[in-house]
Amino acid sequence: MFPFSYQEYLIYCNQKQSSNSFHAYLLSGGFPEYLKNGMDEILQNLLLDIISRDILLRNSIKNPRVITEILVYLLGNISREFTLTNLKKTFTSIGSVTTIASYVEFLEDAYLIFTLPRHSYSLKSRQINPKKVYSIDNGFIRANSTGFSEDYGRLLENLVFIELRKKYREIFYFREQGECDFLVKEKTKITKAIQVCYEVTGRNKERELKGLLEAMNFFELNEGFILTFQQEDEIIIDGKKVFLIPAWKYDY
């Protein structure tokens, strides 16, 4: 169902765990056929095959081309918020927001994308609020999204989401005054608050900590995590512990 994890990638490619191998995995993703020869055409053809086999053959779609265009658009906006209304404004040929919602659902059912709701105790609010979008594989994003630069921060966030998605049923993002990338809910409680930042610097440290600490205080968590590319540290603020851990070392 999912492409190779980082650990599976290491075995398949006969590499050792390191920041260098993780960086290569961050860009390539984990589809075995792509890893054999590194040709983007393999991932581009895979996209078309999945849409044809898992979406068009199973659903009545008046304009098959537009669902591919929606997917490419969403792949170019990985880790960003979107609303169905804004998608409707972008794809004006689609008749209604209801149709847009169906197309996004088809893409999710085919495991091409995943949507992440904003945390709210109200089910209606979770349905109405903007969602964030992620994809099944980083190589898949890079090969199929037009104009997607190698934004390591967004690719790292996508990779972390996929690992969380494999293990946990309920994941949210948090947005109040600040933002926290991921909240993990187990049974009836939020148990983890996770921020993703490729590199914590003097320019972004305050922002990253603010959103994480706000979520930690909101859910009465004593520990929080910032997953990075290779930084490690421990920060204590007002009795709260924040651990900076490389994403490839974190125990999901």
Side-chain angles (χ1 to χ4, degrees), residues 197-208 231 244:
C197 182
Y198 187 84
E199 182 181 12
V200 178
T201 67
R203 296 176 61 183
N204 61 27
K205 183 176 181 179
E206 182 179 355
R207 181 187 71 240
E208 300 294 343
Q231 288 170 290
L244 276 69

Side-chain angles (χ1 to χ4, degrees), residues 95-140:
S96 68
V97 171
T98 302
T99 302
I100 286 279
S102 296
Y103 287 1
V104 171
E105 185 177 351
F106 295 157
L107 293 171
E108 285 197 85
D109 289 345
Y111 275 70
L112 289 168
I113 62 165
F114 302 91
T115 60
L116 181 71
R118 181 190 295 182
H119 180 271
S120 172
Y121 291 111
S122 164
L123 177 60
K124 184 176 182 180
S125 293
R126 292 204 299 270
Q127 293 172 336
I128 295 173
N129 284 337
K131 292 181 171 64
K132 293 174 76 174
V133 63
Y134 297 93
S135 178
I136 188 69
D137 180 78
N138 279 4
F140 194 75

Side-chain angles (χ1 to χ4, degrees), residues 41 56 118 120 122 140 146 163 183 206-207 230 233 247:
E41 289 84 354
L56 299 182
R118 181 190 295 182
S120 172
S122 164
F140 194 75
T146 56
E163 291 305 313
L183 301 172
E206 182 179 355
R207 181 187 71 240
Q230 60 182 357
D233 200 357

Side-chain angles (χ1 to χ4, degrees), residues 186-232:
E186 297 179 89
K187 296 183 179 179
T188 60
K189 292 183 61 177
I190 298 295
T191 58
K192 292 184 180 182
I194 299 171
Q195 199 77 293
V196 181
C197 182
Y198 187 84
E199 182 181 12
V200 178
T201 67
R203 296 176 61 183
N204 61 27
K205 183 176 181 179
E206 182 179 355
R207 181 187 71 240
E208 300 294 343
L209 285 172
K210 177 183 176 182
L212 178 60
L213 288 167
E214 185 181 5
M216 291 167 62
N217 288 326
F218 191 92
F219 297 104
E220 299 181 343
L221 299 173
N222 293 320
E223 295 182 351
F225 303 90
I226 300 179
L227 302 189
T228 68
F229 174 61
Q230 60 182 357
Q231 288 170 290
E232 297 187 63

Side-chain angles (χ1 to χ4, degrees), residues 135-196:
S135 178
I136 188 69
D137 180 78
N138 279 4
F140 194 75
I141 296 168
R142 185 186 44 73
N144 288 294
S145 55
T146 56
F148 186 90
S149 61
E150 291 183 351
D151 186 328
Y152 298 148
R154 289 166 61 199
L155 289 173
L156 184 64
E157 186 175 332
N158 189 76
L159 191 153
V160 170
F161 170 81
I162 292 300
E163 291 305 313
L164 292 172
R165 175 65 175 73
K166 291 176 184 178
K167 185 171 182 179
Y168 301 104
R169 293 185 60 185
E170 291 190 273
I171 313 169
F172 306 92
Y173 74 97
F174 177 86
R175 182 185 289 280
E176 293 295 334
Q177 293 182 352
E179 179 179 340
C180 180
D181 293 322
F182 300 115
L183 301 172
V184 172
K185 184 178 181 181
E186 297 179 89
K187 296 183 179 179
T188 60
K189 292 183 61 177
I190 298 295
T191 58
K192 292 184 180 182
I194 299 171
Q195 199 77 293
V196 181

